[in-house]
Amino acid sequence: MGGILRVNGGKPLKGRIRVRGAKNFVPKAMVAALLGDGPSVLRSVPLIRDVDVVSGLLQLHGVKIDYDQAGGVLKMDPTNVDSAHVADIDAHAGSSRIPILFCGPLLHRLGEAFIPDLGGCNIGGRPIDFHLNILRGFGAIVDKMEAGIHLRAPNGLKGTVIELPYPSVGATEQTLLTAVRAEGITELRGAAVEPEIIDLINVLQKMGAIISVDTDRAIRIEGVKRLTGYSHTSLPDRIETASWASAALATKGDIFVEGAHQGDMTTFLNVFRKVGGAFEVDEDGIRFYHPGGALKSIALETNVHPGFMTDWQQPLVVALTQAEGLSIVHETVYENRFGFTSALREMGATIQVYRECLGGLECRFGQRNFFHSAVISGPTPLHGADIEIPDLRGGFSHLIAALAAEGTSNVRGINMISRGYEHFISKLEALDADVELVQ
């Protein structure tokens, strides 16, 4: 992805910014609109690339889209849903995972669905097969063709029992979007129960679905014959909120995040306070600030909800480079999440990564040769550098490091950040950051 941002760092970020709907929820709620027999309205929709991708895919399938970007209101009318050409889907989706989630709704609406050949994309083979096996469980017939994968359901989809080996968000979404109109009862065991999943269940319930969530990660879905459209306001983006909070901590700043919601941030707020950050919860958001004094090192393990979210880990690691002593972070959700630390080391951070589980318990990556634990020694002053952004969350973490560092950094590939952070350059300017888009 292109774009270079010149950052003159070493200046506290201070001011007020606003977060809108969650990137990990909004695109899935947009897909859910396909299941309704009437229009749906989704509010607090951020202007991010993933929303553009899903809007385009919906339009390829005949859904009428009306998006008020300033107001964040998205109207979707699926009355005239039709099949789309595989080549068009492929060209529009790029490396997005979203086409996979279209399968269940399209099988219900049209009796068939197509997925382009995603072999060259970042998804890899196993996650696709995982989703396809779930769809097969409902009775879908999967044909692998040269152009992609063709799915059909000549006899309709039937409820089933699915047991997940790990609480996968994507697998839980796939099951929900397919089960709500499948004939009979579906039981999903070992489900993900993140706030974004619960909000998707809220949307589906508004549409007429019957879904119950048990305390032991079991979700029971009673299929219904028809669903209506919905009207819904998205939950706020807790990842973006935590990213700005970590930026306030790393730069010794003071940021009020309008729209932030305490209930979805409880675990993060506890850790933020333990590190030495301060926050104040208001009716319309949360103020995050560095209260002065030394930051404290911590031991931390990421986990599925209600644990410490993996997407919170990377921005917080930047702040931990400024904490006194040794901080230990054990990543148990994604096996390759510490690649971003190499750029931090070039900027002066002292971070070592390990294959061993440096946490309370061994995790599923412990015997598989992945560098999934990190030890951060601090405080270390950071200095400006030329940085190439590797991915969305690691990229924003690099941006925080550049803002906290003394001197000038040239951050390349910043368009990647627009996948999940709405208007992030104008937000930086609102926080009085010294940044300039040079290409």
Side-chain angles (χ1 to χ4, degrees):
M1 302 289 286
I4 299 175
L5 192 68
R6 183 166 295 151
V7 180
N8 295 313
K11 188 178 180 183
L13 295 182
K14 294 188 176 182
R16 183 184 183 104
I17 51 102
R18 178 169 67 121
V19 297
R20 291 205 281 191
K23 171 193 173 291
N24 285 359
F25 164 77
V26 168
K28 324 304 168 56
M30 292 169 67
V31 175
L34 274 172
L35 290 160
D37 58 12
S40 291
V41 179
L42 186 60
R43 291 177 294 277
S44 195
V45 175
L47 184 61
I48 55 175
R49 183 173 166 272
D50 277 19
V51 169
D52 290 339
V53 168
V54 182
S55 294
L57 289 170
L58 288 171
Q59 287 172 319
L60 287 175
H61 286 92
V63 178
K64 186 179 177 184
I65 299 286
D66 180 12
Y67 181 24
D68 171 11
Q69 295 180 356
V73 179
L74 181 67
K75 298 176 182 176
M76 299 160 285
D77 186 348
T79 307
N80 298 313
V81 167
D82 200 355
S83 296
H85 294 292
V86 175
D88 292 337
I89 299 172
D90 197 6
H92 193 84
S95 61
S96 171
R97 297 171 185 259
I98 290 294
I100 298 173
L101 294 179
F102 274 68
C103 293
L106 288 175
L107 285 169
H108 287 304
R109 290 295 301 266
L110 305 173
E112 64 173 3
F114 292 99
I115 305 174
D117 181 8
L118 297 170
C121 298
N122 295 330
I123 296 176
R126 285 180 302 154
I128 292 176
D129 289 339
F130 200 40
H131 283 265
L132 295 179
N133 286 337
I134 289 172
L135 291 161
R136 286 190 183 101
F138 284 99
I141 298 170
V142 178
D143 298 313
K144 296 190 176 182
M145 305 160 64
E146 193 172 325
I149 300 167
H150 179 221
L151 297 95
R152 51 198 173 92
N155 301 314
L157 299 177
K158 307 286 193 297
T160 185
V161 176
I162 297 170
E163 186 134 12
L164 298 180
Y166 184 78
S168 161
V169 168
T172 301
E173 292 164 344
Q174 182 71 264
T175 303
L176 288 169
L177 291 166
T178 307
V180 284
R181 281 191 56 190
E183 182 184 330
I185 293 171
T186 296
E187 188 173 331
L188 176 62
R189 299 169 187 160
V193 291
E194 270 68 7
E196 295 82 7
I197 293 285
I198 301 303
D199 215 23
L200 180 60
I201 290 172
N202 292 340
V203 162
L204 293 169
Q205 187 180 56
K206 285 181 176 181
M207 299 175 77
I210 301 171
I211 305 171
S212 59
V213 183
D214 294 334
T215 54
D216 59 352
R217 293 188 178 275
I219 298 178
R220 178 185 168 92
I221 306 107
E222 297 181 35
V224 296
K225 289 187 177 179
R226 66 176 285 267
L227 294 171
T228 65
Y230 66 80
S231 177
H232 189 77
T233 300
S234 169
L235 81 168
D237 196 310
R238 62 196 175 113
I239 305 173
E240 184 180 359
T241 298
S243 299
W244 291 115
S246 296
L249 202 56
T251 65
K252 299 183 178 178
D254 187 336
I255 301 175
F256 187 90
V257 183
E258 183 184 335
H261 183 241
Q262 180 186 10
D264 300 331
M265 303 287 298
T266 304
T267 305
F268 176 84
L269 294 173
N270 287 337
V271 171
F272 190 80
R273 181 170 276 161
K274 286 179 184 178
V275 174
F279 63 88
E280 296 172 2
V281 179
D282 207 340
E283 282 188 8
D284 59 345
I286 304 175
R287 175 195 174 200
F288 297 94
Y289 62 100
H290 191 307
L295 297 181
K296 307 177 191 72
S297 55
I298 56 165
L300 179 68
E301 288 185 277
T302 66
N303 211 333
V304 295
H305 188 78
F308 192 89
M309 193 181 193
T310 178
D311 290 306
W312 291 337
Q313 171 259 112
Q314 290 165 296
L316 188 69
V317 163
V318 181
L320 291 177
T321 66
Q322 305 308 303
E324 288 191 344
L326 292 178
S327 291
I328 300 171
V329 180
H330 180 208
E331 172 61 56
T332 76
V333 179
Y334 285 127
E335 61 268 41
N336 289 315
R337 211 88 212 241
F338 285 120
F340 79 103
T341 60
S342 58
L344 300 184
R345 282 190 289 273
E346 289 176 16
M347 300 176 77
T350 303
I351 302 174
Q352 294 173 294
V353 292
Y354 296 90
R355 293 184 175 91
E356 292 78 16
C357 295
L358 300 182
L361 297 170
E362 283 197 15
C363 75
R364 59 202 174 119
F365 307 135
Q367 306 299 321
R368 293 173 56 194
N369 216 28
F370 294 114
F371 287 98
H372 70 294
S373 293
V375 176
I376 305 107
S377 178
T380 52
L382 302 179
H383 54 78
D386 288 344
I387 304 167
E388 186 76 37
I389 281 180
D391 56 59
L392 174 59
R393 305 303 173 190
F396 199 87
S397 302
H398 289 163
L399 189 55
I400 294 173
L403 291 160
E406 291 295 333
T408 301
S409 297
N410 292 306
V411 187
R412 297 175 181 274
I414 54 106
N415 289 352
M416 175 77 75
I417 296 175
S418 66
R419 275 193 56 224
Y421 293 88
E422 180 185 41
H423 304 312
F424 72 94
I425 294 178
S426 60
K427 288 178 183 178
L428 286 172
E429 291 169 345
L431 297 172
D432 209 20
D434 188 351
V435 296
E436 179 188 5
L437 190 61
V438 294
Q439 187 177 313

